[in-house]
Every structure is written in structure tokens, then in C-alpha cells.
Amino acid sequence: MEKVTRLASERGVVIFTKSSCCLCYAVKILFQELGVNPTVHEIDKDTEGREMEKAIARLGCSAPIPVVYIGGKLVGSTNEVMSLHLSGSLIPLLKPYSATLS
Amino acid sequence: MNSPTSHFVPPRRMGVYDPIHQISMWEENFRNNVDLSASTLLIDDAEIKFDNQSEYASHGIPGTSKQYDQEANRLADKIQRRLAQNREAARKSRLRKKAYVQQLESCRVKLMQLEQEVDHAKQKGLHIGGTGLGSNSLDFAASVNSGITSFEMEYGHWLEERNRLTMALRNALNSHVSDIELGELVDGAMSHYFKLFGMKSAAAKADAFYVMSGMWKSSAERFFFWIGGFRPSEILKILVPRIETMTEQQRSDISNLGKSCQQAEDALSQGMDKLQQMVSESVAAGQLEEQTDTPHMSTAMERLAALVSFVNQADHLRQETLLQMSRILTKRQAARWLLALGEYFQSLQALSSFWANRPPKPA
């Protein structure tokens, strides 16, 4: 859990994914389209991946992966990201971290 | 039934034949009325007759009673055997009848399913027989098919309700009902769409390919298909002009919503491309003589399981689009927009019908 919190508090957009997960890939593409380069941590490639996966599951997001943090704060999974974006609330969150948006 | 005592016959000869004649009549009855209780009646009657006959015999001609006893025993055996045969025949007949009825029942269920499928196909203007609907579905395992069959039936009902709601919206807008009443209709129409997304989620669990194929929709709707349904940005682009008066703020909000939709759709589309690529790779890897940790097919299947989450994600996007529109628009504007949406899909279905029934081109 400590590793998750530590990585999550990095600056900008942090996404926990798995290398085989195509929905995670889609979320990454979305952030890139919005002018942000997210930091992607593939937990299946991490030595502590199992513990990280358990810690992430305890966060209670709508799906286990991807899990997105913006500026150290938990946003959620794909559903939450999409809802935020359609309601127009995602871009304001990204402004500090994007050259193109701000 | 004739009583043998009414016939006066010499005991030595005719007395022996008479009971057998009676039995063949009773056999006839037995075949017609499969009733076990009758057999005890027969035995009782037979015993009575013999008692009568033997009484008569012992009073009558001397020297014949022993011979008569032997013949009487043989006759009793014959009767017992015949009765046993009858019971066996009756039992077999009952079993055959039961099997036949069970066969009829299962054929009836299949027939009902087929009729439903044909009805839906006709409604949507699909060609019957060449599609995945009629031809393969009976061969599927019951567990796979039942999820899809029940979805198809539910979808038929859903369509009827959608048409009813569309007509209700049209009537309400034409007759200038209050905004509150309109609001209730709008909420009802929105819930109805959300209900479909729930149905599709269950169907995707049963067979994600089926939902992706759009076989449950009319051909023209399938033409515009995107990950198991309509493209959210399209229903904004096409139908927003149908809303007459909008404020500047509303126009701007809808424009932003459209843009966000487009971006989300692009991201999901690219995710789908990646999924296709990965499935294709794991299937192709099976053709190489490589040693891998896991069998190629099971890897391909694991990746295919992601298809369900893509269908769900696309439906979530559709739901969010509807929700945002209902936030931006007034109740009256939303009613107009939802009416336009219902009519749009109805028109696509009509187009599919016309297309399916178009006259053949002259040579």
C-alpha cells in the first residue's frame, strides 16, 4: 500500500495499469489526447505487483484497473474518468499539468 | 358381461371353452381400458365360474371330475399368464405415451422460440435464415443460448415500449402539457434507455460477440454501429438542430459535450484496436511451434474477455451523454430531443425494411 501511495502522490496524472489491459491503454490515450502525459505503472510487471493489486482493490473503485490519480488525489477508474470528462470537470483538473491546456 | 350359468352346456366339453371365450372378450376390454382393478374382477369371475362348474360336475357324471380338475388348473395358469401379459403390455404402452408427450412438449418450446425470432426479425426488416438468428441458435448449448434468447425476447418488448414512449412524447408536445408532466415523460424515456444498457450488460456476459455484432438490431442501425450500439457524438450532431431555441450557454455546453464525447470515443476505439491486435497475435502465435507458458487459445480467450468491459464502457458513455443532455436542456427541450431520438431510430428501422423488401433490379 505504501508503494501505491508513494507512486500516486507523484506530480501529474498517475495511472496504475496492467500491460495486457486494453481499457487501461484507452484511458492513457485519452489523457494524451488532452495534452497530458500520464505516468503509467504496470503492476503486473512490478515485483510487488500482488500487494499493490490488493491495496488498489481496497480503494473500492468501480473497477480494479485502471486506477487514476491526479495531483495525488484519487479520481477512480474508467467510469469516473469518463463521467468527469463529459461533465467538463476533467480538463480543469488537468490544467496545471498540461502545456497545451493552460 | 354374459353370465355363463345362463348357458346350460354339458360340463365336459363346452364348460372348458366357455371361460376362455369370456377371457378373450375381457382381453378386448383390457386393451381399451387400461385399468388394473378390472383384472382382479376377471380372476374373481373366473373362480366363481369354476366353482359353479365343478359343483355341477361333482353332482353329475362320475369319473370325469379328476380330468376336469386338471383341465381347470391348466386353464387357471393360462388365465394368469394372459393377465400378466396384459399388465406388461399396458405398462409398455403407458411408457411409450409418456415419452411421446415429452417429445411433443420440447418441440412446442422450440417452436415458440422460433416464432419469436421470426417475429422480431420481421419487425426489424432482417433477412431470416441467413443471419445468426435462426440458423445456429438451436445448436447452441442451452446455457449460452438462454441468455441471448431471453435478451432477444426482452428487446422485443423494450422496442414496443420505446415506440409507445415516443408516441407519448409526440402527443404531449403537440397538446402543450405542463412542464411537470413533460418532465415525468422525459425521466421515463431516459430510464427506459438505461434499462436497455442493463439488459445489454447481461447479454454481453452471455455472449459479447453477439452484442458487438448488432444482430439484434435492424440492418441500417448496424451500419452506424460503434462498440455494440449507437455513437453518442452522432446523436448529438444529428439531433441537436431539432431543438429550436437554445441559449448561448446551452449551445456552448452542448458543443463541449460533443467534443468530449468524440475524444472519449476515439480513446475507446484505439483501445479496441489494441485488443484486436493482441487477440490476433495470440491466435497467430498458435501457428508457430513456440513454447509459451500458457496455451495460445486460453490467452486469446482471456483477452477476449476484455470485450465485455468495452461493451459496458461504451454503454456507460451513452448513458453519460444522455444524462449530460438532460442537465443542459430544459424539460421541454429534452422532450423534443428524445422524441427526435426515438423517431430517428424508428426511421432507421423503416429504412431497413424498405431495403430488405426493395424490388429486384431489372437485368
Side-chain angles (χ1 to χ4, degrees), chain B residues 50-318:
Chain B
F50 282 128
D51 283 343
N52 289 341
Q53 297 287 3
S54 56
E55 254 188 65
Y56 188 83
S58 60
H59 288 143
I61 303 143
T64 59
S65 62
K66 189 177 172 191
Q67 187 188 16
Y68 192 82
D69 279 342
Q70 280 178 339
E71 284 174 345
N73 286 339
R74 273 209 303 277
L75 187 57
D77 286 339
K78 268 190 191 159
I79 290 174
Q80 292 299 328
R81 266 202 311 276
R82 193 68 67 91
L83 289 173
Q85 280 168 1
N86 285 355
R87 278 196 293 276
E88 191 52 36
R91 192 181 73 87
K92 283 190 179 145
S93 166
R94 279 195 299 277
L95 287 174
R96 276 197 305 271
K97 183 178 174 186
K98 189 175 174 190
Y100 180 60
V101 167
Q102 276 174 350
Q103 206 185 27
L104 279 180
E105 274 296 311
S106 63
C107 282
R108 192 175 75 91
V109 168
K110 273 186 191 166
L111 183 64
M112 270 168 52
Q113 280 179 3
L114 277 173
E115 278 176 348
Q116 284 269 8
E117 285 177 19
V118 167
D119 272 337
H120 293 155
K122 277 189 185 156
Q123 264 181 35
K124 293 170 241 153
L126 289 174
H127 294 288
I128 302 161
T131 69
L133 268 182
S135 38
N136 319 338
S137 54
L138 289 179
D139 298 336
F140 282 11
S143 55
V144 171
N145 191 36
S146 65
I148 298 306
T149 312
S150 55
F151 171 76
E152 284 180 353
M153 287 200 287
E154 278 178 46
Y155 183 65
H157 297 143
W158 185 90
L159 271 179
E160 284 166 11
E161 178 66 10
R162 197 272 314 270
N163 293 340
R164 194 194 65 75
L165 284 165
T166 307
M167 191 156 64
L169 281 167
R170 190 181 304 124
N171 293 339
L173 284 166
N174 288 340
S175 57
H176 309 289
V177 302
S178 69
D179 274 7
I180 296 176
E181 274 183 70
L182 260 184
E184 280 171 11
L185 269 178
V186 164
D187 291 341
M190 300 261 294
S191 312
H192 193 58
Y193 279 110
F194 298 162
K195 187 175 168 196
L196 177 63
F197 301 142
M199 284 159 55
K200 281 167 72 183
S201 179
K205 279 205 197 92
D207 187 353
F209 275 135
Y210 173 79
V211 177
M212 287 284 300
S213 73
M215 291 312 294
W216 46 285
K217 287 235 183 186
S218 64
S219 38
E221 285 173 287
R222 250 179 289 143
F223 179 55
F224 295 101
F225 234 48
W226 175 80
I227 312 186
F230 62 83
R231 197 180 267 273
S233 55
E234 280 299 305
I235 63 164
L236 293 178
K237 254 186 263 169
I238 301 166
L239 301 174
V240 157
R242 290 278 298 271
I243 310 166
E244 291 133 6
T245 48
M246 280 196 287
T247 64
E248 275 311 303
Q249 183 64 53
Q250 283 179 322
R251 283 189 204 282
S252 160
D253 284 346
I254 291 177
S255 166
N256 288 335
L257 178 62
K259 195 168 164 199
S260 310
C261 256
Q262 194 77 65
Q263 287 164 333
E265 286 167 20
D266 284 346
L268 285 180
S269 295
Q270 291 193 49
M272 277 291 287
D273 288 345
K274 179 117 197 286
L275 181 61
Q276 276 187 341
Q277 187 191 331
M278 282 169 65
V279 171
S280 161
E281 274 171 9
S282 49
V283 167
Q287 261 119 46
L288 303 170
E289 240 69 36
E290 271 179 15
Q291 289 299 316
T292 50
D293 298 328
T294 54
H296 323 287
M297 277 305 167
S298 75
T299 312
M301 280 179 62
E302 271 169 39
R303 292 172 174 177
L304 272 181
L307 206 57
V308 178
S309 45
F310 269 96
V311 171
N312 290 339
Q313 207 59 62
D315 276 345
H316 177 261
L317 203 65
R318 292 175 186 113

Side-chain angles (χ1 to χ4, degrees), chain A residues 1 50-61 74:
Chain A
M1 187 65 218
R50 278 265 176 83
E51 287 74 39
M52 289 171 78
E53 194 172 347
K54 283 188 204 151
I56 286 167
R58 267 182 260 127
L59 293 170
C61 297
L74 175 66

